[in-house]
Amino acid sequence: VAVLPDAGFAATAPGRQPAARADATATLTEVFVNSARTQFRLSVRSAFSVGLMLSTIPQAVVIGWIAEQSPQQSQIEYVAFGALLNAAWTAGLLRIGWSLVDDMRNGVLQHALLSRSPLVVAMAGRASAIVSLAAVAGVVPFLVVWLVSGVDPPFDRLWLVVPALVGSLVSIMIVALTLMPLLALEQDKAGFVNALVPVGSILSGFLFPLSAMPGAVEFLARVLPTSWTSELVQLASDGGSIGEAAARIAVALLVSLAWCALAVRLFLIVERRMRVNGSLQP
Amino acid sequence: VTRVSSLRTTLRLAFRATCPWRGWQGQLSNVLLRGPLMLLLVYFISESAELDDASISSFAVGIAFYGLPTVLVGNLARTFNEERDAGTLAMIAISTSPRRVPYFARSVHYLPPAWAAVASGIVAAIVVADATPDEVNWPAAASSVLVCSLSTAAFGLLVGLVALVVEDYVAPMTVGNGLILTLSGVVIPRDGLPEPLRLSGGALPVTHALPGFRAAWSGETEELAGRLASEAAVGIFYAAIGLGAFGALLWFARRGRVAAFVR
């Protein structure tokens, strides 16, 4: 697919554009990378803001203290990794959820719409940058839970822990990407995203096993790819087998693909609505 | 300008700039759902950690009561900043009416949502954590909520002034609410805290009223008067400091150093 090179322009500040190419075309990969790179530059400072770091500590202290009461060490490890993912979920979802709306408000979404690049690719690049930086905010609650609970890190299972955490971050990015067009379609955005963040956090099972929830709620949670990747983290904490991990990875991939298809569909609705109306207001 | 008209003007301007009642979805999530969702999270973590039912019920009541600072500190921390952005804060500086009226009046809007947050938290505590009491002493429970509302509002106003000075409300709000969550006995019992932290918690709102509320929830009223008096003293302490700081800011603003009042 040949598209114009300014596809990542939606993620750029005025006056900042990706370098132009001689043939004036870009592949989807370049669109993704350009968008991610630009968003990374824009967000890297706020990712290390004191307010963001501080905001994760109180809850981490509380959940670390509760987990420390548990007789099982694996439970504490799971909560520590969960605290990281929960913070990444909260920070990532809030920022990604608002980014399309912010573009509309700042009047820079026109550039993305004028481009022939698919909006969803540029936004996926942006989402990847935001979630990567949101994971930085997760390091603080992770360390706080370790400090409060005082257990040893599971260095012997890093081969499973690291892929599980990376998979969880990717699934967070996919869910957040799907929510972007929903926010643009929804009128009262603040209430919408503020309610989704804690609900999604609970349903994802970042901080407790899904089996702790009632059956109907657990069934609902299975729709989220994050719930499957959270189970992967739990397996890593419990020392699960490769077969169990592979099964969950396969299901997580399938569910993630379904969410990606939904995201593409929703972005098409947003683009069509704006272009037909001739207005950036949904 | 009479005090009544000053109060009316302040309420109207603050309402336009900062009232949290606009937008039912925002209200639903920030006031009515936040506490129950936090409770659900803590409940499931506690169940997974195999904690006993009495502890979980105690957490549930504490989290319901934590609805007060969530709404009051959360909103009052940004009220001055948002009023500055709306361009109405500078009007206080040029007003000749007593400064205590516009200072304290802005917290009035947030009391009903704060009480609604506690009510939704209590419903969630009963439904989720089975924190159903045998015999609630309603007057004692209501007194605890009322006194704590005032002390927390005084604390929130002071946090709002800090936010005004540092031009960012997120960090002060987070620190303020975070200190209450961790040091006031909402979930972590104060007896288990290191001595310096336990003493620090005594200077925070919620710390003294929450045990009174928990006791009232069980139908007891022992030491209620003493606890509420301590809570009121904490509130008066923050109100006095806040009013003094507000006066100092106005003094600077009226002498041309208006950076804090005009962005």
Side-chain angles (χ1 to χ4, degrees):
Chain A
V1 178
V3 288
L4 288 177
D6 59 350
F9 194 64
T12 64
R16 246 185 187 178
Q17 296 183 45
R21 281 166 46 128
D23 57 358
T25 59
T27 63
L28 290 180
T29 308
E30 286 172 318
V31 173
F32 182 90
V33 171
N34 278 341
S35 183
R37 195 167 51 203
T38 311
Q39 184 65 48
F40 190 88
R41 280 197 220 109
L42 289 172
S43 301
V44 70
R45 185 177 293 177
S46 61
F48 292 94
S49 75
V50 176
L52 185 65
M53 297 289 180
L54 287 175
S55 68
T56 59
I57 293 176
Q59 193 184 45
V61 171
V62 169
I63 62 177
W65 181 82
I66 295 173
E68 194 259 337
Q69 312 298 309
S70 173
Q72 305 167 24
Q73 171 157 330
S74 63
Q75 172 67 18
I76 304 173
E77 289 175 8
Y78 180 50
V79 167
F81 293 126
L84 187 154
L85 295 174
N86 193 50
W89 166 270
T90 304
L93 217 68
L94 284 173
R95 286 184 189 176
I96 291 172
W98 280 100
S99 60
L100 193 61
V101 179
D102 283 343
D103 274 0
M104 292 165 67
R105 190 181 294 157
N106 296 328
V108 294
L109 191 61
Q110 293 96 324
H111 305 295
L113 292 173
L114 283 172
S115 164
R116 279 175 282 167
S117 305
L119 187 59
V120 65
V121 179
M123 292 299 165
R126 174 189 294 200
S128 66
I130 291 177
V131 169
S132 306
L133 289 169
V136 173
V139 172
V140 175
F142 172 76
L143 293 175
V144 168
V145 172
W146 281 116
L147 285 173
V148 171
S149 58
V151 296
D152 299 325
F155 288 121
D156 55 327
R157 275 167 277 131
L158 282 181
W159 63 273
L160 191 52
V161 169
V162 173
L165 290 177
V166 172
S168 297
L169 291 174
V170 172
S171 63
I172 289 173
M173 188 201 88
I174 290 170
V175 173
L177 180 68
T178 312
L179 289 177
M180 287 171 78
L182 278 177
L183 281 166
L185 294 167
E186 177 64 27
Q187 291 297 326
D188 193 347
K189 288 97 183 173
F192 194 64
V193 73
N194 289 350
L196 280 174
V197 169
V199 170
S201 171
I202 291 171
L203 290 179
S204 296
F206 292 129
L207 296 163
F208 52 85
L210 290 177
S211 56
M213 294 194 283
V217 183
E218 185 184 346
F219 180 78
L220 184 66
R222 296 293 181 187
V223 177
L224 287 171
T226 43
S227 66
W228 294 96
T229 49
S230 289
E231 276 204 338
L232 205 57
V233 176
Q234 191 187 355
L235 273 177
S237 301
D238 291 340
S241 68
I242 295 178
E244 288 175 310
R248 277 157 184 82
I249 289 171
V251 178
L253 280 174
L254 282 175
V255 177
S256 298
L257 280 175
W259 275 76
C260 285
L262 179 64
V264 171
R265 177 72 188 149
L266 289 171
F267 269 107
L268 286 175
I269 292 174
V270 169
E271 284 183 281
R272 190 178 303 128
R273 178 190 282 192
M274 290 172 177
R275 283 176 171 147
V276 169
N277 291 348
S279 167
L280 292 181
Q281 299 303 318
Chain B
V1 180
T2 66
R3 288 179 187 180
V4 173
S5 66
S6 172
L7 175 66
R8 195 168 56 229
T9 306
T10 302
L11 287 174
R12 193 167 64 241
L13 292 176
F15 180 87
R16 285 182 188 168
T18 64
C19 186
W21 294 0
R22 293 170 303 185
W24 66 270
Q25 286 154 309
Q27 284 307 293
L28 188 68
S29 61
N30 288 328
V31 174
L32 297 180
L33 286 182
R34 182 179 289 185
L37 288 171
M38 182 182 175
L39 172 58
L40 269 177
L41 194 65
V42 169
Y43 173 77
F44 286 131
I45 299 171
S46 304
E47 283 280 302
S48 306
E50 300 172 13
L51 298 191
D52 59 275
D53 291 344
S55 299
I56 296 175
S57 290
S58 176
F59 298 165
V61 174
I63 289 171
F65 202 73
Y66 183 63
L68 286 177
T70 302
V71 173
L72 287 171
V73 179
N75 282 296
L76 290 171
R78 63 186 185 193
T79 176
F80 293 108
N81 272 355
E82 290 193 352
E83 263 204 88
R84 174 176 54 193
D85 293 349
T88 55
L89 190 60
M91 298 178 78
I92 296 173
I94 60 172
S95 166
T96 54
S97 63
R99 65 176 185 270
R100 62 180 176 274
V101 179
Y103 181 71
F104 289 118
R106 68 192 58 247
S107 59
V108 173
H109 299 122
Y110 303 106
L111 292 177
W115 296 332
V118 175
S120 70
I122 284 295
V123 171
I126 293 171
V127 173
V128 176
D130 198 20
T132 312
D134 295 329
E135 185 183 359
V136 181
N137 188 319
W138 290 108
S143 305
S144 302
V145 170
L146 183 64
V147 174
C148 188
S149 301
L150 300 178
S151 65
T152 308
F155 180 73
L157 286 168
L158 181 59
V159 172
L161 288 180
V162 174
L164 184 67
V165 171
V166 301
E167 297 194 10
D168 170 40
Y169 71 85
V170 176
M173 177 187 74
T174 303
V175 170
N177 267 341
L179 287 173
I180 293 174
L181 178 64
T182 49
L183 301 181
S184 293
V186 173
V187 174
I188 305 171
R190 290 186 66 223
D191 295 340
L193 293 171
E195 191 62 12
L197 294 180
R198 197 183 67 77
L199 290 174
S200 305
L204 290 169
V206 177
T207 302
H208 304 286
L210 178 56
F213 183 77
R214 280 197 175 113
W217 197 244
S218 307
E220 299 166 10
T221 55
E222 286 180 22
E223 302 177 29
L224 180 68
R227 284 167 173 156
L228 295 189
S230 301
E231 185 72 26
V234 169
I236 291 167
F237 172 71
Y238 285 116
I241 292 180
L243 196 58
F246 190 58
L249 279 174
L250 284 177
W251 190 86
F252 281 114
R254 284 169 178 158
R255 278 153 187 79
R257 299 174 191 177
V258 293
F261 278 69
V262 181
R263 190 177 287 277

